Amino acid sequence: MTGLACDSCPVRDRAACASLAPEERAELERIGRHRSFKRGETIFAAGDNDPMCATLIAGALKIASYDADGVERILALVHPAGFVGEMFAPVAHHHIVALTDSKLCCFSRKDYERAISAFPALAGALLRRSAEDLHQSRALIDLMGRRSADARVAGLLMAFARAASDSPCHPAQRFDLPLTRGEMAGLLGLTIETVSRQLGKLEADGLIRRAGSRGIEIANAARLEAITR
Amino acid sequence: MTGLACDSCPVRDRAACASLAPEERAELERIGRHRSFKRGETIFAAGDNDPMCATLIAGALKIASYDADGVERILALVHPAGFVGEMFAPVAHHHIVALTDSKLCCFSRKDYERAISAFPALAGALLRRSAEDLHQSRALIDLMGRRSADARVAGLLMAFARAASDSPCHPAQRFDLPLTRGEMAGLLGLTIETVSRQLGKLEADGLIRRAGSRGIEIANAARLEAITR
DNA sequence: CGAAAGGTTGAGTTCCGTCAAGTGTGGTGG
DNA sequence: CCACCACACTTGACGGAACTCAACCTTTCG
């Protein structure tokens, strides 16, 4: 709920606004504001008709829908520098919830639309982000289309390992799961129990080692990758 | 392989180029060319490094990946006025194949990139298309996340019914399946046999009627919708 | 300390994938 | 015109994988 300070923003050169000239960014800074959310808080709810959009500065979000039984289905994860919010639909389609304590840089849609038409570079940057999001979505579809639970869980672990790595090509060998079992299940279309059992089996087979309930160490990346198909 | 004729183009006011002023469109017309593909032909293959992009004029496409066993996984369907091709990645990520005989309006990526920076309206229009694609992807993720095969098949039928309808709100009551059983299976992460059995069961339960292998008539939309969750 | 939330494990059952055989149907060529 | 073939689709039997239900363990937090 504070003013902005783009100069010290941790995502200042990765987010969409990074493409702007200094004076353009000053204008964005004028119309946006920082907000913080605690783990589990809902940022936008499906059906909201007071549309907002935002860049994630720190933390992590999930985009999710809930069926009639209240079962959560996770449609996408959002990482820092990611952009969320409906720019074109009249109402929000999905729930956006903080996975961890998070900071966002929020804009009213009307203001942001004006900024897009005023600053052509912004449209280009958003297009690039959107293409990236689309690619991530399709990667998830690919993952969920696998028919066996072990392929899905192994694929998710490899995806996390890649995301946790600094170098874009080599996956991290050791990382913490960013999701609960229930969230992993919601992402993969499985149940909590199945995810838990598959992790146990991967450990028993010597493909991974576990430290606590969240820590993962990849013991045999090649075999883990091989299960993935 | 012919020149363009935007004036008579069937998607002239729905595709991305619709946002352009006449003289801008004339420039696009100069750098693009029409190509036709037969059902089953590959338009772009994953790994292509001679990147192209295109607007679909007529027909239908699938974006797909293939696992080590050759099992096809369909990541997205593309309808007329849709845009395909990687604008940002160095190589194509997925295969793009014609589902039916199709016509495309193709551009080299380099040319199209130039057009985007020259004509800001084009970036906006592509952003809108991209947001739509992203929404479709998430709808598919939602569908695939359903745990039972009947919910997935019923949901797919409802999606086709909505797509086949002229009016955006009410689903068509009668339509032809645009996909083979194998393609439906690849889209939903099921097997051909399971899709076939679920269709049989939906018919036996009186929720749908079938005419030939492709014709579908929705007999009880409410109950079909209810299964969907 | 107790409660709540996340996680694991076990037993039983249902569902879906696999394998296999069989039924159209459209297309090609004799 | 018909024989043949390829392809899409259907149907059945079977077994294994994943879901359900339930109990229990662990960690965190008030």
Side-chain angles (χ1 to χ4, degrees), chain A residues 149 191 193-194 197:
Chain A
T191 60
E193 296 92 326
T194 299
R197 275 186 256 266

Side-chain angles (χ1 to χ4, degrees), chain A residues 103-124:
Chain A
K103 276 205 188 56
L104 284 87
C105 187
C106 299
F107 305 89
S108 87
R109 179 164 100 179
K110 212 155 45 74
D111 287 345
Y112 210 78
E113 269 171 356
R114 263 199 296 271
I116 288 177
S117 41
F119 313 139
L122 194 53

Side-chain angles (χ1 to χ4, degrees), chain A residues 20-28 119:
Chain A
L20 294 178
E23 66 273 18
E24 296 172 333
R25 179 143 58 188
E27 169 61 13
L28 258 202
F119 313 139

Side-chain angles (χ1 to χ4, degrees), chain A residues 148-162:
Chain A
S148 61
D150 54 358
R152 292 190 220 179
V153 172
L156 187 61
L157 289 184
M158 289 307 293
F160 285 151
R162 279 188 291 269

Side-chain angles (χ1 to χ4, degrees), chain B residues 173-194:
Chain B
Q173 207 222 329
R174 165 96 192 60
F175 60 94
D176 281 339
L177 292 171
L179 302 181
T180 66
R181 298 287 183 276
E183 286 161 345
M184 287 193 271
L187 199 59
L188 297 174
L190 300 170
T191 60
I192 293 179
E193 296 92 326
T194 299

Side-chain angles (χ1 to χ4, degrees), chain B residues 151-225:
Chain B
R152 291 191 219 180
V153 172
L156 186 61
L157 289 184
M158 290 306 293
F160 285 150
R162 279 188 292 269
S165 167
D166 320 305
S167 92
C169 34
H170 284 299
Q173 207 222 329
R174 165 96 192 60
F175 60 94
D176 281 339
L177 292 171
L179 302 181
T180 66
R181 298 287 183 276
E183 286 161 345
M184 287 193 271
L187 199 59
L188 297 174
L190 300 170
T191 60
I192 293 179
E193 296 92 326
T194 299
V195 172
S196 181
R197 273 187 257 266
Q198 292 302 333
L199 287 174
K201 186 162 168 299
L202 289 175
E203 185 174 34
D205 291 351
L207 304 198
I208 62 172
R209 277 183 286 274
R210 286 191 288 177
S213 65
R214 296 295 188 92
I216 296 285
E217 187 184 341
I218 295 182
N220 190 332
R223 280 178 60 207
L224 196 58
E225 186 67 51

